[in-house]
Amino acid sequence: MHSHSYYMQRCLELAQLGAGHVAPNPMVGAVLVHEGKIIGEGWHRKYGEAHAEVNAIEDAEKRLAAHSGLAHKISQSTLYVSLEPCAHFGKTPPCVDLIIQHKIPNVVIACRDPFEQVNGKGIEKLKAAGVEVELGILEKEAVELNKRFFTFHEQQRPYIILKWATTADGFIAPPPPAGGIQDSYSKRLLISNEYTNRLVHKWRSEEAGIMIGTNTALLDDPSLTVRSWTGQSPVRLVLDRNLRLPASLKVFNKEVRTVVFNTLKQQEEDNLLYYHLKKEESLLPQLLKALYELKIQSVLVEGGAQLLQSLIDGGCWDEARIIRNDQLRIGKGLRGPQLTDAILKQETTIATDTLRIFYHQKNEV
């Protein structure tokens, strides 16, 4: 007989399959176990569709249908689920009702759901119906899996990931060209290799929003879309306080929803929203509040140096992903941001590049 942790680990593996498809919902996995054997598995596959518990029970029903007289096993099983089952009507009916309907006697849960319409209510309803509930199995791992969801609902702000690439000697861009900013796009320095670039597009597909500042938009004219990976492009978030950016830039093509944070106007045009911030108030608190109101659960910040450093200095970050090309040196140019209060979590070599992932120290307390 395997331990609770064994089956919960399988729940977490299943939950991960929903990455990039279920937001703003959390990733959730579930397994139904009868006498030490998994008889049903499921995960939340796509936002608005059936939850993990529903899919696990349906999977068990299909498996058991081939064996006459075994349908009773579901009512003699233990359901393992990586997040508290929902108790409210949203895009789908409450999962706790289905569990109670199938008379599943035991439910093992990794962690509570911080969403205010659930947050303990699912557990309470199960217990009131006589279901034995055990909570806290691989809780830390489950929270880590849905760190974006937990940060958004517990701290009323998005989970913020900083990303930049540097040369081996610490520069993120060459010196400004003699012609000024208008001539600089043709001289853009490509630092990371093709494999790392593809990985960055994967990252984009996993986040709700992607943010840049005014200078990055002018210098690089990026599309900020997912082109080298399969998935949905994030909402483009552009910080342009004085609306200096020309309408000819790719971020204004309205192919992807785009939000321009500025201090001059509030206006929406098709897929383009101009979001007004107050000039006399501090920028970062306003920005975080706006992102929460827009229901942006996570943000990948791709530059530039000034925006990245302001978020670091303000303590407004959760994770940093720094790509270093170990073979490229340019001797002078624009230095990369200086990370503080950081804990190195992972270091990986990808051909000519080294990827280092840091977590903000405050999250490890």
Side-chain angles (χ1 to χ4, degrees):
M1 185 74 70
H2 294 294
S3 66
H4 283 338
S5 296
Y6 174 87
Y7 297 114
M8 192 59 73
Q9 182 60 47
R10 179 57 181 160
C11 290
L12 296 175
E13 291 170 357
L14 291 167
Q16 185 65 45
L17 297 175
H21 303 288
V22 301
N25 283 356
M27 294 174 282
V28 184
V31 297
L32 200 60
V33 179
H34 180 265
E35 295 182 353
K37 182 180 179 181
I38 294 177
I39 62 172
E41 294 187 333
W43 68 94
H44 186 28
R45 295 172 179 267
K46 187 176 180 181
Y47 176 68
E49 296 185 0
H51 289 184
E53 301 93 321
V54 176
N55 290 329
I57 291 171
E58 288 185 352
D59 182 44
E61 289 175 329
K62 290 176 183 177
R63 295 190 195 193
L64 297 174
H67 304 279
S68 179
L70 297 183
H72 67 280
K73 284 188 175 183
I74 293 178
S75 62
Q76 298 174 358
S77 299
T78 297
L79 177 68
Y80 291 81
V81 59
S82 59
L83 188 70
E84 176 183 3
C86 63
H88 69 293
F89 282 90
K91 295 283 184 180
T92 60
C95 289
V96 291
D97 290 355
L98 186 68
I99 295 169
I100 294 168
Q101 176 189 327
H102 281 81
K103 299 180 180 179
I104 297 173
N106 305 295
V107 177
V108 180
I109 302 167
C111 58
R112 286 171 61 138
D113 187 333
F115 182 47
E116 62 180 356
Q117 293 189 50
V118 184
N119 203 358
K121 298 180 179 66
I123 294 170
E124 290 173 7
K125 193 168 184 178
L126 288 172
K127 288 182 175 179
V131 178
E132 289 289 330
V133 177
E134 186 163 350
L135 178 67
I137 305 301
L138 298 188
E139 181 177 13
K140 183 177 179 181
E141 292 84 349
V143 172
E144 169 67 18
L145 176 68
N146 282 305
K147 53 195 174 186
R148 297 158 180 81
F149 183 77
F150 276 82
T151 298
F152 185 80
H153 288 287
E154 292 180 343
Q155 300 184 39
Q156 285 76 56
R157 67 166 181 83
Y159 185 86
I160 297 176
I161 302 169
L162 311 180
K163 171 262 170 183
W164 68 89
T166 77
T167 61
D169 48 354
F171 298 99
I172 65 172
I181 206 167
Q182 292 81 7
D183 297 335
S184 62
Y185 181 64
S186 62
K187 298 177 178 62
R188 180 185 175 192
L189 179 65
L190 300 178
I191 296 176
S192 50
N193 64 47
E194 60 177 311
Y195 306 106
T196 311
N197 288 338
R198 185 171 297 180
L199 178 60
V200 170
H201 281 241
K202 178 179 183 291
W203 293 345
R204 289 179 179 180
S205 75
E206 295 169 347
E207 309 309 331
I210 181 168
M211 180 179 287
I212 59 171
T214 308
N215 287 340
T216 299
L218 281 171
L219 289 167
D220 297 348
D221 191 19
S223 297
L224 302 181
T225 55
V226 175
R227 302 181 303 283
S228 300
W229 198 262
T230 301
Q232 184 174 335
S233 293
V235 176
R236 297 183 294 204
L237 308 167
V238 183
L239 185 58
D240 182 22
R241 280 185 266 195
N242 298 313
L243 295 181
R244 294 193 293 118
L245 297 175
S248 58
L249 295 179
K250 294 186 183 73
V251 291
F252 297 121
N253 60 21
K254 299 183 182 178
E255 291 179 3
V256 177
R257 179 164 171 76
T258 302
V259 182
V260 182
F261 296 100
N262 70 96
T263 60
L264 300 177
K265 68 177 182 179
Q266 179 82 25
Q267 181 180 323
E268 189 160 9
E269 306 168 356
D270 300 323
N271 235 9
L272 180 60
L273 170 64
Y274 289 90
Y275 194 104
H276 182 259
L277 301 176
K278 296 179 181 178
K279 186 178 294 187
E280 65 276 10
E281 294 185 12
S282 180
L283 173 65
L284 290 182
Q286 288 190 86
L287 193 58
L288 294 180
K289 182 180 179 182
L291 292 168
Y292 179 73
E293 290 175 351
L294 291 168
K295 294 182 170 51
I296 305 292
Q297 269 192 19
S298 61
V299 177
L300 179 64
V301 185
E302 289 204 12
Q306 185 176 343
L307 174 59
L308 289 165
Q309 194 64 58
S310 67
L311 290 166
I312 294 169
D313 293 343
C316 299
W317 67 281
D318 298 284
E319 190 174 326
R321 301 172 183 178
I322 306 173
I323 300 163
R324 184 186 67 220
N325 186 322
D326 295 319
Q327 296 183 2
L328 178 63
R329 295 177 181 274
I330 60 175
K332 59 181 179 179
L334 178 63
R335 286 281 181 186
Q338 297 300 303
L339 202 58
T340 57
D341 300 323
I343 298 174
L344 179 63
K345 280 293 185 178
Q346 181 182 334
E347 184 166 316
T348 308
T349 299
I350 307 173
T352 58
D353 295 344
T354 296
L355 167 64
R356 291 183 298 163
I357 297 178
F358 297 86
Y359 280 7
H360 196 165
Q361 192 169 19
K362 68 178 182 182
N363 297 330
E364 298 297 300
V365 177

